Amino acid sequence: MSKSTTVIVNLWCGLSALLILMVDFITPLGIASGVPYIIVILISLKSPYKRFTIAAAMLCTVLVWIGYVGSPPGDVDTYQIYINRFLSILAIWVTTILTLSQRDSINQLHQERLRNLQSRIETEIQQEKLKMLKATMRTVHDIIGNFLNNLHFFKLEIDRNSTLSAESIKKLDQLTQETTQRLDKLASVDEIREKKMAGDMVGIDYELTPKGEETTGTQNKLV
């Protein structure tokens, strides 16, 4: 709550209490003219501080008795005057207690909703991270799996000839470089895009195509 808002609330409470007191001074005794102080209590609820509302209730209680002293006499018995003043004070404090209790309940409910929302968001983030981690591991597995499958052909040549030909060595170097480049691309992606893999699995499209061209899979950005 800003300082200017606090000043406005204080000003309205003070002016309202003063106006009600002035009306009480011109109202004969016997009329429950202290009940309008409830308006001051309701205005004080604009302040987030509970002690401010309690202080306003205490001030209104004092003003009820000041109004009793300054009000002109009425045509009712003294005990009725005291009963009316007591009822006014009772109304002030019942309103104070009930409204503060209600506001506390609303604040607690609001905080609980915020905690639930935060927990749900954190859960969704964790699920999304886990999803991306699994997709990344599937992609790594696919890259390494292709590399190992290609190595099998070189193994067959070694088993058959006990060595690799110059052309095979060149192909092996090229295969190693391509595999390294793919892993480097996967490690340096700054935009996550999913792509369908064998077995209807989801992996990471690390071969990003330029904007405006169609890509395989749907785009998902990490939070």
Side-chain angles (χ1 to χ4, degrees):
M1 188 176 185
S2 64
K3 183 178 295 185
S4 60
T5 304
T6 302
V7 172
I8 292 175
V9 172
N10 293 342
L11 183 61
W12 274 107
C13 286
L15 291 177
S16 300
L18 182 60
L19 178 61
I20 295 171
L21 180 62
M22 294 298 101
V23 173
D24 197 8
F25 279 159
I26 62 176
T27 303
L29 292 173
I31 300 176
S33 54
V35 174
Y37 284 112
I38 292 176
I39 297 175
V40 179
I41 303 302
L42 297 178
I43 295 175
S44 71
L45 292 173
K46 293 293 184 179
S47 172
Y49 305 109
K50 181 184 295 186
R51 62 178 180 271
F52 179 78
T53 301
I54 295 176
M58 295 175 64
L59 174 63
C60 291
T61 301
V62 174
L63 293 179
V64 167
W65 291 112
I66 293 177
Y68 164 74
V69 175
S71 297
D75 297 331
V76 295
D77 295 332
T78 303
Y79 78 91
Q80 291 180 331
I81 296 174
Y82 282 111
I83 289 176
N84 286 335
R85 294 289 159 172
F86 173 77
L87 291 177
S88 297
I89 295 174
L90 181 63
I92 290 171
W93 282 101
V94 168
T95 301
T96 300
I97 294 172
L98 291 180
T99 52
L100 287 178
S101 177
Q102 179 67 17
R103 189 174 69 175
D104 289 342
S105 299
I106 293 175
N107 288 338
Q108 291 177 1
L109 181 60
H110 180 65
Q111 292 297 326
E112 184 66 24
R113 287 178 177 175
L114 287 179
R115 285 193 293 268
N116 291 338
L117 178 60
Q118 183 178 5
S119 177
R120 185 163 61 250
I121 292 175
E122 290 177 353
T123 300
E124 291 176 355
I125 291 175
Q126 292 299 325
Q127 290 176 347
E128 185 66 18
K129 287 182 177 180
L130 181 60
K131 177 183 176 182
M132 290 299 102
L133 176 60
K134 290 181 177 180
T136 302
M137 295 307 298
R138 293 191 195 104
T139 306
V140 172
H141 183 271
D142 180 67
I143 295 173
I144 300 300
N146 289 335
F147 176 74
L148 294 177
N149 288 335
N150 288 322
L151 284 182
H152 181 68
F153 296 102
F154 295 103
K155 180 179 181 299
L156 292 178
E157 182 177 347
I158 292 175
D159 292 341
R160 185 172 57 252
N161 302 325
S162 299
T163 185
L164 288 176
S165 63
E167 182 180 357
S168 295
I169 293 176
K170 183 178 179 181
K171 290 181 178 180
L172 178 59
D173 290 339
Q174 183 180 359
L175 175 63
T176 303
Q177 291 177 3
E178 289 177 353
T179 302
T180 302
Q181 289 175 357
R182 290 176 181 175
L183 291 174
D184 289 341
K185 287 182 179 180
L186 179 61
S188 60
V189 294
D190 54 6
E191 184 177 352
I192 303 299
R193 296 185 184 181
E194 295 179 353
K195 70 174 182 179
K196 294 294 183 180
M197 301 175 63
D200 201 26
M201 304 294 286
V202 176
I204 302 298
D205 184 7
Y206 54 89
E207 298 285 356
L208 295 179
T209 56
K211 291 184 178 180
E213 297 184 9
E214 294 184 355
T215 58
T216 303
T218 57
Q219 178 176 344
N220 277 321
K221 292 186 178 181
L222 280 178
V223 179

